[in-house]
């Protein structure tokens, strides 16, 4: 990655930055959740419980100004459908919604007391988030799609002051590799709203399929529609084979009409979610250039079948006009501020071999094909800027020069992210690893197969640091937030997406909303155990939670003299005859741990053991220990012997589960 060119600016391009000022929460003090907190996710900035409980009547009155009609409607829908309440609008209602300019952007104040319920927000979004918190104080049935009879509801007296830590709290869905039905997209937006997430990045086009109807170029969505939606060998639940995606092969399954998109955009707006569409160029363009080869560098239909397709769009006037036409129709459908141009994984071979392209580089006074891509990005950025929009691209757009205000999504290197932020450009953090959810979540061999090995656990997502320490304090305003990526190569169906996304998206929601000093992973786990009952009501196919780890280690656990450690902890479950697995799982730090022995101990006796050398770290080896229990046991202790011959900077836990 050539960072030396990162600070170059094209003189003809100027785009307004999207950074909003950071505001202090003057009235919202942070509070670390108690040992048994209210089951709220994400955790608010300030929670003060009172004495007493408010009992919901069967007839509920709601008062709200006209500008909060949508927020009142969203609340009414949940109370009616899930809890069977009869709702009426009335001045001075028992539930009162209002606006208070004293609060931070997107902030709210929720008060439950003997007078009823009051939710004030700085803006309608803040009121909406206050409504989401109120709903989480109620039984999980509030999220049900139907109810046969009114559900009894009592909620605690409480005062909550809250506002998000980060502006960008996002999820990306890839609908190009495997098409995801409109109904699922609407469902995902609903679940995002429950978690106060506000940005939906929609990856609509790629080499394997173009999913967005463009009326001026109808052949774009026709390419590949006569092909299967998915192929044998792509089903992640098939453990009889190692699954692989058919890169460079068209996948059918459907596309979104412009009417579909308008419906989705309106649905998202009601939930205060802004949709950012991605129109990929100059690469990942096999579908586009198969439909219209006259706009390719070679003028021919692509033939290579690869994830990194060599076929690039041309840079002549007609190809530039082609891209602008597509962007014009895209902007007419998506009113949000941001338009994503892709820009990743663009091999430059065709541009290097093209006499026309090489002559164009000379005419423009550019030095390389990377700078030509930057020029193309800049031309399109200027075009969308004329309509009040901001260009966004993946990390590779930093390989040339960047237009002022362009937003970068680093995914390969957080060092690059820090460099970009320090240079003054807005950054949205999207790192492979913890935020690429097309990865294994645990070492459980029965998990759905995934593209990235990992595992990238719930904890690794939760403990991701959105405030990169390498970024200068004055430049941290450029760290807009973070986003989870759901690349669907090995997610052929909506239920596969849900399995990979949840509950890790729950962790990211708290990571981007809650102030770092108010976060606590163990408390989050306790709250999540209740929260998944809400996901049940929403019919989300989430990965079931692991039992709490009986053993964990920190740098303080490891002897600084010989780097050895003995770990012990209760299994917290009654054991029955069968095979159990103990899985050391590295989570953070400079070093992994080597394990020599794993034992189950009951009443001072070893009842099961596995002795072998295994490693947990960035490249785990033989890390699963199998323990055979021969009789019923209540309350056994798990004991492990390990060492870190390099240093004590290591953090992790030993998961314990019944073998499947």
């Amino acid at each position: 990655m050539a960072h030396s060119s990162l600070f170059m600016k094209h003189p003809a391009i100027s785009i307004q930055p999207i950074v909003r000022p950071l505001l202090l929460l003057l009235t919202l003090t942070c509070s670390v959740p108690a040992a048994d907190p209210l089951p709220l996710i994400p955790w608010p900035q300030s929670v003060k419980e009172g004495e007493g409980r408010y009992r919901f009547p069967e007839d509920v009155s709601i008062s709200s100004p006209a500008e909060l009609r949508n927020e009142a409607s969203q609340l009414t829908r949940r109370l009616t459908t899930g809890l069977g309440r009869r709702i009426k609008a009335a001045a001075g209602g028992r539930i009162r919604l209002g606006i208070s300019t004293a609060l931070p952007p997107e902030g709210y104040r929720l008060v439950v007391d003997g007078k009823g319920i009051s939710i004030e927000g700085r803006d309608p979004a803040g009121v909406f988030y206050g409504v989401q918190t109120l709903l989480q104080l109620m039984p999980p049935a509030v999220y049900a799609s139907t109810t046969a009879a009114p559900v009894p509801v009592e909620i605690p007296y409480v005062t909550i002051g809250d506002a998000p830590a980060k502006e960008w709290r996002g999820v990306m869905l890839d609908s190009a590799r495997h098409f995801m039905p409109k109904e699922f997209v609407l469902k995902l937006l609903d679940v995002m709203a429950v978690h106060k997430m506000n940005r939906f990045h929609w990856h609509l086009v790629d080499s394997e399929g173009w999913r967005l109807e463009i009326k001026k170029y109808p052949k774009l969505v026709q390419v590949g529609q006569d092909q299967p939606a998915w192929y044998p060998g792509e089903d992640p639940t098939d453990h009889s084979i190692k699954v692989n995606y058919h890169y460079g092969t068209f996948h059918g399954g459907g596309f979104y009409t412009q009417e579909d998109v308008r419906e989705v955009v309106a649905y998202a707006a009601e939930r205060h979610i802004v949709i950012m569409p991605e129109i990929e160029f100059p690469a990942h363009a096999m579908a586009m250039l198969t439909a219209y080869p006259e706009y390719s560098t070679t003028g021919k239909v692509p033939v290579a079948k690869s994830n990194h397709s060599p076929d690039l769009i041309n840079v002549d006037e007609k190809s530039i006009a082609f891209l602008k036409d597509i962007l014009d129709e895209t902007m007419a459908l998506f009113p949000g501020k941001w338009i994503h141009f892709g820009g990743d994984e663009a091999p430059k071979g065709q541009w290097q071999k093209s006499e026309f392209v090489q002559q164009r580089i000379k005419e423009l006074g550019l030095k390389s094909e990377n700078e030509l891509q930057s020029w193309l990005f800049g031309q399109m950025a200027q075009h969308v800027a004329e309509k009040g929009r901001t260009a966004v691209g993946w990390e590779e757009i930093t390989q040339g020069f960047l237009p002022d205000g362009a937003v970068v999504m680093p995914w390969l290197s957080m060092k690059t992210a820090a460099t970009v932020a320090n240079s003054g450009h807005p950054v949205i953090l999207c790192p492979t690893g913890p935020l690429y959810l097309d990865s294994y979540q645990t070492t459980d061999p029965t998990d759905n197969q995934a593209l990235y090995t990992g595992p990238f656990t719930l904890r690794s997502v939760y403990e991701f640091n959105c405030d990169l320490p390498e970024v200068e304090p004055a430049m941290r305003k450029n760290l807009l937030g973070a986003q989870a990526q759901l690349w669907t190569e090995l997610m052929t169906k909506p239920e596969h997406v849900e399995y990979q996304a949840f509950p890790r998206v729950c962790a990211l929601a708290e990571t981007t909303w809650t102030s770092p000093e108010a976060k606590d992973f163990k408390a989050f786990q306790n709250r999540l155990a209740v929260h998944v009952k809400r996901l049940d009501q929403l019919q989300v196919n989430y990965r079931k939670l692991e039992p709490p780890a009986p053993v964990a280690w920190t740098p303080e656990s490891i002897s600084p003299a010989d780097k050895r450690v003995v770990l012990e902890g209760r299994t917290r479950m009654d054991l029955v005859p069968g095979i159990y697995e103990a899985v050391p799982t590295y989570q953070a730090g400079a070093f992994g741990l080597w394990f020599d022995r794993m034992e189950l101990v009951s009443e001072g006796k070893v009842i099961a053991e596995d002795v072998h050398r295994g490693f947990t770290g960035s490249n785990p080896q033989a890390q699963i220990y199998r323990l055979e229990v021969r009789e019923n046991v209540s309350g056994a202790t798990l004991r492990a012997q390990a060492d870190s011959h390099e240093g004590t900077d290591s953090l992790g836990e030993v998961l314990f589960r019944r073998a499947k």
Side-chain angles (χ1 to χ4, degrees), residues 271-336:
R271 289 150 183 80
H272 296 278
I273 296 171
V274 177
I275 300 181
M276 176 178 67
E278 181 176 350
I279 303 298
E280 180 98 20
F281 65 86
H284 285 272
M286 191 179 76
M288 177 174 71
L289 299 180
T290 297
Y292 295 96
E294 61 266 35
Y295 302 117
S296 71
T297 300
T298 64
K300 299 177 182 179
V301 173
V303 294
K305 294 183 180 296
S306 169
N307 182 32
H308 298 167
S309 172
D311 293 281
L312 303 182
I313 194 167
N314 208 346
V315 290
D316 56 2
E317 290 187 9
K318 69 177 183 180
S319 301
I320 298 294
F322 171 65
L323 277 181
K324 288 181 177 179
D325 288 341
I326 291 172
L327 290 174
D328 285 343
E329 288 199 35
T330 302
M331 288 188 286
L333 293 169
F334 295 93

Side-chain angles (χ1 to χ4, degrees), residues 577-595:
I579 303 296
Y580 291 80
E581 293 178 342
V583 187
T585 304
Y586 162 86
Q587 294 171 334
F591 309 107
L593 278 189
W594 287 94
F595 283 76

Side-chain angles (χ1 to χ4, degrees), residues 22 59 65 110 119 198 205 244 413 428 474 481 534 542 589 609 638:
L22 297 178
D59 295 296
L110 166 65
I119 300 175
N198 66 345
V205 306
N244 286 288
S413 167
I428 300 159
R534 301 173 187 133
Y542 61 92
E609 65 179 351
L638 182 67

